[in-house]
Amino acid sequence: GAGVSQSPRYKVAKRGQDVALRCDPISGHVSLFWYQQALGQGPEFLTYFQNEAQLDKSGLPSDRFFAERPEGSVSTLKIQRTQQEDSAVYLCASSIRTAPSLYGYTFGSGTRLTVV
Amino acid sequence: AQSVTQLDSHVSVSEGTPVLLRCNYSSSYSPSLFWYVQHPNKGLQLLLKYTSAATLVKGINGFEAEFKKSETSFHLTKPSAHMSDAAEYFCVVSKAAGNKLTFGGGTRVLVKP
């Protein structure tokens, strides 16, 4: 597609519920990233994929967070047993290169997760 | 390790006057530096990037930034603010040829008519 597509746009979850957030990167983009943006703050890195390989998951805040990209295109971020502190906007970004800082990233509009 | 400090959380300017958004960075490596803009309910849009070429970088919509290694700064400027510039701006650092981005806390710009 023309841009990075994320769904759903908004998600309200009851505390303890599992959620799955989807990211459709630009076709052919090798690198894919997930970021978490809490209200009033800058985005923080969660995890990075190069094709289907998850090369860096150092930013995942707990073992309740899990990400996958099984075929090297669409990615899913799953949060189990959601807590109120998980409320944030989850951003996905993709890049055509394996060294994206030189070539740029394209961000999606994000999924706003609210845990009640 | 790398970090970014945006010195102002809010900036208010009048339409037609200059805009200055201040950013200082810390990096153990030769950095790549970026400015992104985020309008409400929109995705992050790249304004400009520095990747060790010219120290004065020109971006979209009349914005430019100057990389000053001695001051570890990468301030963003625009000579004349427009109402459409009202948004949140993020200064971002990455290891050159790296992947992970480190964002500053953001500066919210208000443009008064």
Side-chain angles (χ1 to χ4, degrees), chain B residues 20-61:
Chain B
L20 169 65
L21 305 184
R22 299 182 294 165
C23 172
N24 286 102
Y25 71 92
S26 172
S27 178
S28 304
Y29 307 97
S30 178
S32 291
L33 292 158
F34 310 79
W35 276 97
Y36 279 86
V37 61
Q38 188 176 40
H39 288 92
N41 299 315
K42 296 276 184 69
L44 287 157
Q45 181 184 19
L46 179 67
L47 284 177
L48 48 80
K49 63 179 178 179
Y50 165 78
T51 54
S52 75
T55 57
L56 183 62
V57 182
K58 293 189 183 298
I60 62 171
N61 301 336

Side-chain angles (χ1 to χ4, degrees), chain A residues 9-10 33 35 37 40-45 48 56 58 91 98-109 112, chain B residues 32 34 36 38 41-46 49-51 88 90 94-106:
Chain A
R9 188 74 179 87
Y10 301 93
F33 305 81
Y35 286 81
Q37 185 176 16
Q41 297 182 23
E44 293 191 355
F45 172 81
Y48 163 59
D56 187 343
S58 61
L91 296 168
T98 57
S101 66
L102 294 177
Y103 302 99
Y105 308 71
T106 302
F107 280 85
S109 297
R112 181 178 297 276
Chain B
S32 291
F34 310 79
Y36 279 86
Q38 188 176 40
N41 299 315
K42 296 276 184 69
L44 287 157
Q45 181 184 19
L46 179 67
K49 63 179 178 179
Y50 165 78
T51 54
E88 183 118 29
F90 292 98
S94 174
K95 181 180 174 181
N99 43 65
K100 181 164 58 178
L101 300 177
T102 300
F103 285 75

Side-chain angles (χ1 to χ4, degrees), chain A residues 10 17 35 39 84 97:
Chain A
Y10 301 93
Q17 184 180 355
Y35 286 81
L39 186 64
Q84 283 194 319
R97 301 285 187 169

Side-chain angles (χ1 to χ4, degrees), chain A:
Chain A
V4 177
S5 178
Q6 293 188 246
S7 60
R9 188 74 179 87
Y10 301 93
K11 176 68 179 177
V12 178
K14 292 183 178 179
R15 192 172 60 176
Q17 184 180 355
D18 296 350
V19 298
L21 312 181
R22 177 186 171 102
C23 173
D24 278 275
I26 294 173
S27 179
H29 276 203
V30 169
S31 299
L32 185 145
F33 305 81
W34 285 98
Y35 286 81
Q36 180 191 56
Q37 185 176 16
L39 186 64
Q41 297 182 23
E44 293 191 355
F45 172 81
L46 292 177
T47 188
Y48 163 59
F49 289 86
Q50 188 178 115
N51 295 306
E52 69 277 6
Q54 189 174 20
L55 298 186
D56 187 343
K57 54 182 181 179
S58 61
L60 296 176
S62 77
D63 58 7
R64 296 187 295 104
F65 286 71
F66 173 77
E68 60 182 6
R69 193 187 186 197
E71 298 178 357
S73 56
V74 172
S75 177
T76 304
L77 176 67
K78 298 179 179 178
I79 309 173
Q80 297 178 324
R81 305 181 303 281
T82 52
Q83 303 295 315
Q84 283 194 319
E85 62 263 29
D86 300 335
S87 296
V89 175
Y90 291 85
L91 296 168
C92 178
S94 70
S95 177
I96 197 167
R97 301 285 187 169
T98 57
S101 66
L102 294 177
Y103 302 99
Y105 308 71
T106 302
F107 280 85
S109 297
T111 293
R112 181 178 297 276
L113 173 65
T114 303
V115 181
V116 298

